[in-house]
Coordinates of all heavy atoms in Angstrom, one line a residue:
M1 N 14.7 -7.0 30.6 CA 14.2 -5.8 31.2 C 14.1 -4.8 30.0 O 15.0 -4.7 29.2 CB 15.2 -5.2 32.1 CG 14.6 -4.0 32.9 SD 15.6 -3.5 34.3 CE 16.9 -2.7 33.5
K2 N 12.9 -4.2 29.9 CA 12.6 -3.3 28.8 C 13.2 -1.9 29.1 O 12.7 -1.2 29.9 CB 11.1 -3.1 28.5 CG 10.5 -4.4 27.9 CD 9.0 -4.1 27.6 CE 8.4 -5.3 27.0 NZ 6.9 -5.3 27.1
T3 N 14.2 -1.6 28.3 CA 14.8 -0.2 28.5 C 14.8 0.4 27.1 O 14.5 -0.3 26.1 CB 16.3 -0.3 28.9 OG1 17.0 -1.0 27.9 CG2 16.4 -1.1 30.2
V4 N 15.2 1.6 27.0 CA 15.3 2.2 25.6 C 16.2 1.4 24.7 O 15.9 1.1 23.6 CB 15.8 3.7 25.8 CG1 16.2 4.3 24.4 CG2 14.8 4.6 26.5
G5 N 17.3 1.0 25.3 CA 18.3 0.2 24.5 C 17.9 -1.2 24.2 O 18.1 -1.7 23.1
S6 N 17.2 -1.9 25.1 CA 16.8 -3.3 24.9 C 15.5 -3.4 24.2 O 15.2 -4.5 23.7 CB 16.7 -4.0 26.3 OG 15.6 -3.5 27.0
Y7 N 14.7 -2.4 24.1 CA 13.4 -2.6 23.6 C 13.0 -1.7 22.4 O 12.4 -2.1 21.5 CB 12.4 -2.3 24.8 CG 10.9 -2.6 24.4 CD1 10.5 -3.9 24.1 CD2 10.0 -1.6 24.5 CE1 9.2 -4.2 23.8 CE2 8.6 -1.9 24.2 CZ 8.3 -3.1 23.8 OH 7.0 -3.4 23.5
W8 N 13.3 -0.4 22.5 CA 12.9 0.5 21.4 C 13.5 0.2 20.1 O 14.7 0.1 20.0 CB 13.2 1.9 21.8 CG 12.5 2.4 23.0 CD1 12.2 1.7 24.2 CD2 12.0 3.7 23.3 NE1 11.5 2.4 25.1 CE2 11.4 3.7 24.6 CE3 12.0 4.9 22.6 CZ2 10.8 4.8 25.2 CZ3 11.4 6.0 23.2 CH2 10.8 6.0 24.4
P9 N 12.7 0.0 19.0 CA 13.3 -0.4 17.7 C 14.0 0.8 16.9 O 14.8 0.5 16.1 CB 12.1 -0.9 16.9 CG 10.9 -0.2 17.6 CD 11.3 0.0 19.0
Y10 N 13.5 2.0 17.1 CA 14.1 3.1 16.4 C 14.6 4.2 17.3 O 13.9 4.7 18.2 CB 13.0 3.7 15.4 CG 12.3 2.7 14.6 CD1 11.0 2.2 14.9 CD2 13.0 2.1 13.5 CE1 10.4 1.3 14.1 CE2 12.4 1.2 12.7 CZ 11.1 0.7 13.0 OH 10.5 -0.2 12.2
A11 N 15.8 4.7 17.0 CA 16.3 5.8 17.9 C 15.6 7.1 17.7 O 15.3 7.8 18.8 CB 17.8 6.0 17.5
P12 N 15.1 7.5 16.5 CA 14.4 8.8 16.4 C 13.1 8.8 17.3 O 12.7 9.9 17.7 CB 14.0 8.9 14.9 CG 15.1 8.1 14.3 CD 15.3 6.9 15.2
T13 N 12.6 7.7 17.7 CA 11.4 7.7 18.5 C 11.7 8.2 19.9 O 10.9 8.9 20.5 CB 10.9 6.2 18.7 OG1 10.9 5.5 17.5 CG2 9.5 6.1 19.4
L14 N 13.0 8.0 20.3 CA 13.4 8.5 21.6 C 13.4 10.0 21.6 O 12.9 10.7 22.5 CB 14.8 8.0 22.0 CG 15.4 8.5 23.2 CD1 14.7 8.0 24.5 CD2 16.9 8.1 23.3
F15 N 13.9 10.6 20.5 CA 13.9 12.1 20.3 C 12.5 12.6 20.4 O 12.1 13.5 21.1 CB 14.6 12.4 19.0 CG 14.6 13.9 18.7 CD1 15.6 14.7 19.1 CD2 13.5 14.5 18.1 CE1 15.6 16.1 18.8 CE2 13.4 15.9 17.9 CZ 14.5 16.7 18.2
D16 N 11.6 11.9 19.6 CA 10.2 12.4 19.5 C 9.5 12.3 20.8 O 8.8 13.2 21.2 CB 9.5 11.5 18.4 CG 8.1 12.0 18.2 OD1 8.0 13.2 17.8 OD2 7.2 11.3 18.4
Y17 N 9.7 11.2 21.5 CA 9.1 10.9 22.8 C 9.5 12.0 23.8 O 8.7 12.7 24.5 CB 9.4 9.6 23.4 CG 8.8 9.2 24.7 CD1 7.5 8.8 24.7 CD2 9.4 9.4 25.9 CE1 6.9 8.5 26.0 CE2 8.9 9.1 27.1 CZ 7.6 8.7 27.1 OH 7.0 8.4 28.3
I18 N 10.8 12.3 23.9 CA 11.3 13.3 24.9 C 10.8 14.7 24.5 O 10.3 15.4 25.3 CB 12.8 13.2 25.0 CG1 13.3 11.9 25.5 CG2 13.4 14.4 25.8 CD1 14.8 11.7 25.4
R19 N 10.8 15.0 23.1 CA 10.4 16.3 22.7 C 9.0 16.5 23.0 O 8.6 17.6 23.4 CB 10.6 16.4 21.2 CG 10.4 17.8 20.5 CD 10.7 17.7 19.1 NE 9.9 16.8 18.3 CZ 8.7 17.1 17.9 NH1 8.1 18.3 18.1 NH2 8.0 16.3 17.2
R20 N 8.1 15.5 22.9 CA 6.7 15.7 23.2 C 6.3 15.6 24.7 O 5.5 16.4 25.2 CB 5.9 14.6 22.5 CG 5.8 14.6 21.0 CD 5.3 13.2 20.6 NE 5.4 13.1 19.1 CZ 4.5 13.5 18.3 NH1 3.4 14.1 18.7 NH2 4.6 13.3 17.0
A21 N 7.0 14.7 25.4 CA 6.4 14.3 26.7 C 7.3 14.6 27.9 O 6.8 14.5 29.1 CB 6.1 12.8 26.7
M22 N 8.6 14.8 27.7 CA 9.5 14.9 28.8 C 10.2 16.3 28.9 O 10.4 16.9 27.9 CB 10.6 13.8 28.8 CG 10.0 12.5 29.0 SD 9.3 12.2 30.6 CE 7.9 11.2 30.3
P23 N 10.5 16.8 30.1 CA 10.2 16.2 31.4 C 8.7 16.3 31.6 O 8.0 17.2 31.2 CB 10.9 17.1 32.4 CG 11.4 18.3 31.7 CD 11.3 18.0 30.2
Q24 N 8.2 15.2 32.3 CA 6.8 15.0 32.4 C 6.1 16.2 33.1 O 5.0 16.5 32.8 CB 6.5 13.8 33.2 CG 5.1 13.2 32.9 CD 4.8 12.0 33.7 OE1 5.1 12.0 34.9 NE2 4.1 11.0 33.2
N25 N 6.8 16.9 34.0 CA 6.2 18.1 34.7 C 6.4 19.3 33.8 O 5.8 20.4 34.2 CB 6.8 18.2 36.0 CG 8.3 18.4 36.0 OD1 8.9 18.0 35.0 ND2 8.9 19.0 37.0
A26 N 7.1 19.3 32.8 CA 7.2 20.5 31.9 C 7.5 20.0 30.4 O 8.5 20.2 29.9 CB 8.4 21.3 32.4
P27 N 6.5 19.3 29.9 CA 6.6 18.8 28.5 C 6.9 19.9 27.5 O 6.4 21.0 27.7 CB 5.3 18.1 28.2 CG 4.4 18.5 29.2 CD 5.1 19.0 30.4
Q28 N 7.7 19.6 26.5 CA 8.0 20.6 25.4 C 8.7 21.8 25.9 O 8.6 22.9 25.3 CB 6.7 20.9 24.6 CG 6.1 19.6 24.0 CD 4.9 19.8 23.2 OE1 4.7 20.9 22.7 NE2 4.1 18.8 23.0
S29 N 9.4 21.7 27.1 CA 10.1 22.8 27.6 C 11.6 22.8 27.1 O 12.3 23.7 27.3 CB 10.1 22.9 29.1 OG 10.7 21.7 29.6
L30 N 12.0 21.6 26.6 CA 13.4 21.5 26.2 C 13.6 22.0 24.7 O 12.7 21.8 23.9 CB 13.8 20.0 26.2 CG 13.8 19.3 27.5 CD1 14.2 17.8 27.4 CD2 14.7 20.0 28.6
S31 N 14.7 22.6 24.5 CA 15.0 23.1 23.1 C 15.4 21.8 22.3 O 15.7 20.8 22.9 CB 16.2 24.0 23.1 OG 17.4 23.3 23.4
K32 N 15.4 22.0 21.0 CA 15.7 20.9 20.1 C 17.1 20.4 20.4 O 17.3 19.2 20.5 CB 15.6 21.4 18.6 CG 15.3 20.3 17.6 CD 14.9 20.8 16.3 CE 16.2 21.3 15.5 NZ 16.0 21.6 14.1
Q33 N 18.0 21.3 20.6 CA 19.4 20.9 21.0 C 19.5 20.2 22.3 O 20.2 19.2 22.4 CB 20.3 22.2 21.0 CG 20.7 22.7 19.7 CD 20.9 21.6 18.6 OE1 21.6 20.6 18.9 NE2 20.3 21.7 17.5
D34 N 18.6 20.6 23.3 CA 18.6 19.9 24.5 C 18.1 18.4 24.3 O 18.6 17.5 24.9 CB 17.6 20.6 25.5 CG 18.2 21.9 26.1 OD1 19.4 22.0 26.0 OD2 17.4 22.7 26.6
V35 N 17.1 18.3 23.4 CA 16.5 16.9 23.2 C 17.6 16.1 22.5 O 17.7 14.9 22.9 CB 15.2 17.0 22.4 CG1 14.7 15.6 22.2 CG2 14.2 17.9 23.1
Y36 N 18.3 16.6 21.6 CA 19.4 15.8 21.0 C 20.4 15.4 22.0 O 20.9 14.3 22.1 CB 20.1 16.6 19.9 CG 19.4 16.6 18.5 CD1 18.9 17.7 17.9 CD2 19.2 15.4 17.9 CE1 18.3 17.7 16.7 CE2 18.5 15.3 16.7 CZ 18.1 16.5 16.1 OH 17.4 16.4 14.9
A37 N 20.8 16.4 22.9 CA 21.8 16.1 23.9 C 21.3 15.0 24.9 O 22.1 14.1 25.2 CB 22.1 17.4 24.7
V38 N 20.1 15.2 25.4 CA 19.7 14.2 26.4 C 19.4 12.8 25.8 O 19.6 11.8 26.4 CB 18.5 14.7 27.2 CG1 17.2 14.7 26.4 CG2 18.3 14.1 28.5
S39 N 19.0 12.8 24.5 CA 18.8 11.6 23.7 C 20.2 10.9 23.6 O 20.3 9.7 23.8 CB 18.2 11.8 22.4 OG 17.0 12.5 22.4
A40 N 21.2 11.7 23.3 CA 22.6 11.1 23.1 C 23.0 10.5 24.5 O 23.6 9.4 24.5 CB 23.5 12.2 22.7
Y41 N 22.7 11.2 25.6 CA 23.1 10.7 26.9 C 22.4 9.4 27.2 O 23.0 8.5 27.7 CB 22.8 11.8 27.9 CG 23.2 11.4 29.3 CD1 24.5 11.1 29.7 CD2 22.2 11.2 30.3 CE1 24.9 10.7 30.9 CE2 22.6 10.8 31.6 CZ 23.9 10.5 31.9 OH 24.2 10.1 33.1
I42 N 21.1 9.3 26.9 CA 20.3 8.1 27.2 C 20.9 6.9 26.4 O 21.0 5.8 26.8 CB 18.8 8.3 27.0 CG1 18.3 9.2 28.1 CG2 18.1 7.0 27.0 CD1 16.9 9.7 27.9
L43 N 21.2 7.2 25.1 CA 21.7 6.1 24.2 C 23.1 5.7 24.7 O 23.5 4.6 24.6 CB 21.7 6.6 22.8 CG 20.3 6.8 22.2 CD1 20.4 7.5 20.9 CD2 19.6 5.4 22.0
Y44 N 23.9 6.7 25.2 CA 25.2 6.4 25.8 C 25.0 5.5 27.0 O 25.7 4.5 27.2 CB 25.9 7.7 26.2 CG 26.9 7.5 27.3 CD1 28.1 6.8 27.1 CD2 26.7 8.0 28.6 CE1 29.0 6.6 28.1 CE2 27.6 7.8 29.6 CZ 28.7 7.1 29.4 OH 29.6 6.9 30.4
L45 N 24.0 5.8 27.9 CA 23.8 5.0 29.1 C 23.4 3.6 28.7 O 23.6 2.6 29.4 CB 22.6 5.6 29.9 CG 22.9 6.9 30.6 CD1 21.7 7.4 31.3 CD2 24.1 6.8 31.7
N46 N 22.8 3.4 27.5 CA 22.4 2.1 27.0 C 23.5 1.4 26.2 O 23.3 0.4 25.5 CB 21.1 2.2 26.2 CG 19.9 2.4 27.1 OD1 19.3 1.5 27.5 ND2 19.6 3.7 27.4
G47 N 24.7 2.1 26.2 CA 25.9 1.4 25.6 C 25.8 1.5 24.0 O 26.5 0.8 23.3
L48 N 25.0 2.5 23.5 CA 24.8 2.6 22.1 C 25.6 3.7 21.4 O 25.6 3.9 20.2 CB 23.3 2.7 21.7 CG 22.5 1.5 22.2 CD1 21.0 1.7 22.0 CD2 22.9 0.2 21.3
L49 N 26.2 4.6 22.3 CA 27.0 5.7 21.8 C 28.1 5.9 22.8 O 28.0 5.6 24.0 CB 26.1 7.0 21.8 CG 25.1 7.3 20.7 CD1 24.5 8.6 21.0 CD2 25.8 7.3 19.4
P50 N 29.3 6.4 22.3 CA 30.4 6.7 23.2 C 30.1 7.9 24.0 O 29.2 8.7 23.6 CB 31.5 7.0 22.2 CG 30.9 7.3 20.9 CD 29.6 6.6 20.9
A51 N 30.7 8.0 25.2 CA 30.5 9.2 26.1 C 30.8 10.5 25.3 O 31.7 10.5 24.5 CB 31.5 9.1 27.3
G52 N 29.9 11.5 25.5 CA 30.2 12.8 24.9 C 29.8 12.9 23.4 O 30.0 13.9 22.8
A53 N 29.2 11.8 22.9 CA 28.8 11.8 21.5 C 27.7 12.9 21.3 O 26.9 13.1 22.2 CB 28.3 10.4 21.0
T54 N 27.7 13.5 20.1 CA 26.6 14.5 19.8 C 25.8 13.9 18.7 O 26.2 13.0 18.0 CB 27.2 15.8 19.4 OG1 28.1 15.6 18.3 CG2 28.0 16.5 20.5
L55 N 24.5 14.3 18.6 CA 23.6 13.8 17.7 C 23.0 14.9 16.8 O 22.8 16.0 17.3 CB 22.5 13.0 18.4 CG 22.8 11.6 18.9 CD1 21.6 11.1 19.6 CD2 23.2 10.7 17.8
D56 N 22.6 14.6 15.6 CA 21.7 15.5 14.8 C 20.8 14.5 14.1 O 20.8 13.3 14.3 CB 22.5 16.3 13.9 CG 23.4 15.5 12.9 OD1 23.1 14.3 12.8 OD2 24.3 16.0 12.3
A57 N 19.9 15.1 13.3 CA 18.8 14.3 12.7 C 19.5 13.1 11.9 O 19.0 12.0 12.0 CB 18.0 15.1 11.8
K58 N 20.5 13.4 11.2 CA 21.2 12.3 10.3 C 21.8 11.2 11.2 O 21.5 10.0 11.0 CB 22.2 13.0 9.4 CG 22.6 12.1 8.2 CD 23.1 13.1 7.1 CE 23.7 12.2 5.9 NZ 25.1 11.8 6.3
S59 N 22.6 11.6 12.1 CA 23.3 10.6 12.9 C 22.3 9.8 13.8 O 22.5 8.6 14.1 CB 24.4 11.2 13.8 OG 23.9 12.3 14.6
L60 N 21.2 10.5 14.3 CA 20.2 9.8 15.1 C 19.5 8.7 14.3 O 19.4 7.6 14.8 CB 19.2 10.9 15.6 CG 18.1 10.3 16.5 CD1 18.6 9.8 17.8 CD2 17.0 11.4 16.7
S61 N 19.1 9.0 13.1 CA 18.4 8.0 12.4 C 19.3 6.9 11.8 O 18.9 5.9 11.4 CB 17.6 8.6 11.2 OG 18.3 9.6 10.6
A62 N 20.6 7.1 11.9 CA 21.6 6.1 11.4 C 21.9 5.1 12.5 O 22.5 4.0 12.2 CB 22.9 6.8 11.0
I63 N 21.4 5.3 13.8 CA 21.7 4.4 14.8 C 20.8 3.1 14.7 O 19.6 3.2 14.5 CB 21.4 5.0 16.2 CG1 22.4 6.2 16.5 CG2 21.5 4.0 17.3 CD1 22.0 7.0 17.7
E64 N 21.5 1.9 14.7 CA 20.8 0.7 14.6 C 20.5 0.2 16.0 O 21.4 -0.2 16.7 CB 21.7 -0.3 13.8 CG 21.1 -1.7 13.5 CD 20.2 -1.7 12.2 OE1 20.4 -0.8 11.4 OE2 19.4 -2.6 12.1
M65 N 19.2 0.2 16.3 CA 18.9 -0.2 17.7 C 18.9 -1.8 17.8 O 18.4 -2.4 16.9 CB 17.5 0.3 18.1 CG 17.4 1.8 18.1 SD 18.4 2.6 19.4 CE 17.3 2.3 20.8
P66 N 19.4 -2.3 18.9 CA 19.6 -3.7 19.0 C 18.3 -4.5 18.8 O 18.3 -5.6 18.3 CB 20.1 -3.9 20.5 CG 20.6 -2.6 20.9 CD 19.9 -1.6 20.1
N67 N 17.1 -4.0 19.2 CA 15.9 -4.7 19.1 C 15.1 -4.5 17.8 O 14.0 -4.9 17.7 CB 15.0 -4.3 20.3 CG 14.0 -5.4 20.7 OD1 14.3 -6.6 20.5 ND2 12.8 -5.0 21.1
R68 N 15.8 -3.8 16.9 CA 15.2 -3.3 15.7 C 14.5 -4.4 14.9 O 13.3 -4.2 14.5 CB 16.3 -2.8 14.7 CG 16.0 -2.5 13.3 CD 15.1 -1.3 13.2 NE 14.7 -1.0 11.8 CZ 13.8 -1.7 11.2 NH1 13.0 -2.6 11.9 NH2 13.4 -1.4 9.9
N69 N 15.0 -5.6 14.8 CA 14.4 -6.7 14.0 C 13.6 -7.7 14.8 O 13.2 -8.7 14.3 CB 15.5 -7.4 13.2 CG 16.2 -6.4 12.3 OD1 15.5 -5.6 11.6 ND2 17.5 -6.4 12.3
M70 N 13.3 -7.3 16.1 CA 12.6 -8.3 16.9 C 11.1 -8.0 16.9 O 10.3 -8.7 17.6 CB 13.1 -8.2 18.4 CG 14.6 -8.6 18.4 SD 15.0 -10.2 17.7 CE 14.4 -11.3 19.0
F71 N 10.7 -6.9 16.2 CA 9.3 -6.6 16.2 C 8.7 -7.3 14.9 O 9.2 -7.2 13.8 CB 9.0 -5.1 16.1 CG 9.2 -4.4 17.4 CD1 10.4 -4.2 17.9 CD2 8.1 -4.1 18.2 CE1 10.6 -3.6 19.2 CE2 8.2 -3.5 19.4 CZ 9.5 -3.2 19.9
V72 N 7.6 -8.1 15.1 CA 7.0 -8.8 14.0 C 5.6 -8.3 13.8 O 5.0 -7.9 14.7 CB 7.0 -10.4 14.3 CG1 8.4 -11.0 14.2 CG2 6.3 -10.7 15.6
G73 N 5.2 -8.3 12.5 CA 3.9 -7.8 12.2 C 2.8 -8.7 12.9 O 3.0 -9.9 13.1
D74 N 1.8 -8.1 13.3 CA 0.7 -8.8 13.9 C -0.2 -9.4 12.8 O -0.9 -8.7 12.1 CB -0.1 -7.9 14.8 CG -1.2 -8.7 15.6 OD1 -1.5 -9.8 15.2 OD2 -1.7 -8.1 16.6
S75 N -0.1 -10.7 12.7 CA -0.8 -11.4 11.5 C -2.3 -11.6 11.8 O -3.0 -12.1 11.0 CB -0.1 -12.7 11.2 OG -0.1 -13.5 12.4
R76 N -2.7 -11.3 13.1 CA -4.1 -11.6 13.3 C -5.0 -10.7 12.5 O -4.7 -9.5 12.4 CB -4.4 -11.4 14.8 CG -3.7 -12.5 15.7 CD -3.8 -12.1 17.2 NE -3.1 -10.9 17.4 CZ -3.0 -10.3 18.6 NH1 -3.7 -10.8 19.6 NH2 -2.3 -9.2 18.8
P77 N -6.1 -11.2 12.0 CA -7.0 -10.3 11.2 C -7.7 -9.3 12.1 O -7.9 -9.5 13.3 CB -8.0 -11.3 10.6 CG -8.0 -12.4 11.6 CD -6.7 -12.5 12.1
D78 N -8.0 -8.1 11.5 CA -8.7 -7.1 12.3 C -10.2 -7.7 12.5 O -10.7 -8.2 11.5 CB -8.8 -5.8 11.5 CG -7.5 -5.1 11.6 OD1 -6.7 -5.4 12.5 OD2 -7.2 -4.3 10.7
V79 N -10.7 -7.6 13.6 CA -12.1 -8.1 13.9 C -12.9 -6.9 14.3 O -12.4 -6.0 15.0 CB -12.1 -9.2 14.9 CG1 -11.5 -10.5 14.4 CG2 -11.4 -8.8 16.2
T80 N -14.1 -6.8 13.9 CA -15.0 -5.8 14.3 C -16.2 -6.4 15.1 O -16.9 -7.2 14.6 CB -15.6 -5.0 13.1 OG1 -16.2 -6.0 12.3 CG2 -14.6 -4.2 12.4
N81 N -16.2 -6.2 16.4 CA -17.3 -6.7 17.2 C -18.4 -5.8 17.3 O -18.2 -4.7 17.9 CB -16.7 -7.0 18.6 CG -15.6 -8.1 18.5 OD1 -15.7 -9.0 17.8 ND2 -14.6 -7.9 19.3
P82 N -19.6 -6.2 16.8 CA -20.7 -5.3 17.0 C -21.0 -5.1 18.5 O -21.0 -6.0 19.3 CB -21.9 -6.0 16.3 CG -21.5 -7.4 16.2 CD -20.0 -7.4 16.2
A83 N -21.4 -3.8 18.9 CA -21.7 -3.6 20.3 C -22.9 -4.4 20.7 O -23.8 -4.6 19.9 CB -22.0 -2.1 20.4
C84 N -22.9 -4.9 21.9 CA -24.0 -5.8 22.3 C -24.3 -5.5 23.8 O -23.3 -5.5 24.6 CB -23.6 -7.3 22.1 SG -24.9 -8.4 22.8
I85 N -25.5 -5.3 24.1 CA -25.9 -5.0 25.5 C -26.6 -6.2 26.2 O -26.2 -6.6 27.2 CB -26.8 -3.8 25.6 CG1 -26.2 -2.6 24.8 CG2 -27.1 -3.4 27.0 CD1 -24.9 -2.1 25.5
T86 N -27.6 -6.8 25.5 CA -28.3 -7.9 26.1 C -28.2 -9.1 25.2 O -28.0 -9.0 24.0 CB -29.8 -7.5 26.2 OG1 -30.3 -7.1 24.9 CG2 -30.0 -6.3 27.2
D87 N -28.4 -10.2 25.8 CA -28.4 -11.6 25.1 C -27.2 -11.7 24.3 O -27.3 -12.1 23.1 CB -29.7 -11.7 24.3 CG -31.0 -11.5 25.1 OD1 -30.9 -11.9 26.3 OD2 -31.9 -10.9 24.6
C88 N -26.1 -11.3 24.8 CA -24.9 -11.4 24.0 C -24.4 -12.9 23.9 O -24.6 -13.6 24.8 CB -23.8 -10.5 24.6 SG -24.3 -8.8 24.7
Ligands
LIG101 C1 14.9 16.0 30.6 C2 14.3 15.3 31.5 C3 13.7 14.0 31.2 C4 14.0 13.1 30.2 C5 15.0 13.2 29.1 C6 13.1 12.0 30.3 C7 13.1 10.9 29.4 C8 12.2 9.8 29.6 C9 12.2 8.6 28.7 C10 13.1 8.4 27.5 C11 11.2 7.8 29.1 C12 10.8 6.5 28.5 C13 11.5 5.4 29.3 C14 11.2 4.0 28.8 O1 10.0 3.8 28.3 O2 12.0 3.1 28.8 C15 10.6 8.5 30.2 C16 9.5 7.9 30.9 C17 8.9 8.6 32.0 N1 9.3 9.8 32.6 FE1 10.7 11.0 31.9 N2 12.3 12.2 31.4 C18 12.6 13.4 32.0 C19 12.1 14.0 33.1 C20 11.0 13.5 33.7 C21 10.4 14.1 34.9 C22 10.9 15.4 35.5 C23 9.4 13.3 35.3 C24 8.4 13.4 36.5 C25 8.1 14.5 37.0 C26 9.3 12.1 34.4 C27 8.4 11.1 34.4 C28 8.4 10.0 33.6 C29 7.4 8.9 33.7 C30 6.3 8.8 34.7 C31 7.7 8.0 32.7 C32 7.0 6.7 32.3 C33 6.0 7.1 31.3 C34 5.2 5.9 30.8 O3 5.7 4.7 30.9 O4 4.1 6.1 30.3 N3 10.3 12.3 33.4 N4 11.2 9.7 30.5

């Protein structure tokens, strides 16, 4: 099951995602401190932080996410397909 803890490779992405997009009905309404706090809570729910842990930029980027090394570079070459309408 893809969760923040089982799937996301970098913890700062969680901060950035919440800061930009959440809450979905009021994006960017949270203060920086709120985003650190709710990020810490989500990482705690995923068993990656103890209860009540606090975060700042340094401690957030120091978190080693479990799925960190499971992302592999896409070795397929970039292809450019010319647009085609007829007789493709
Ligand atoms: C402080 C409050 C909130 C926080 C911290 C938060 C955090 C998050 C996070 C971390 C994700 C990504 C989950 C994942 O991919 O595994 C997410 C996804 C999502 N959240 Fe929130 N959320 C908040 C409030 C809300 C509210 C109020 C709504 C709806 C009104 C909402 C709607 C969604 C939706 C629809 C997604 C899926 C987006 C997608 O997959 O493209 N969230 N949220």
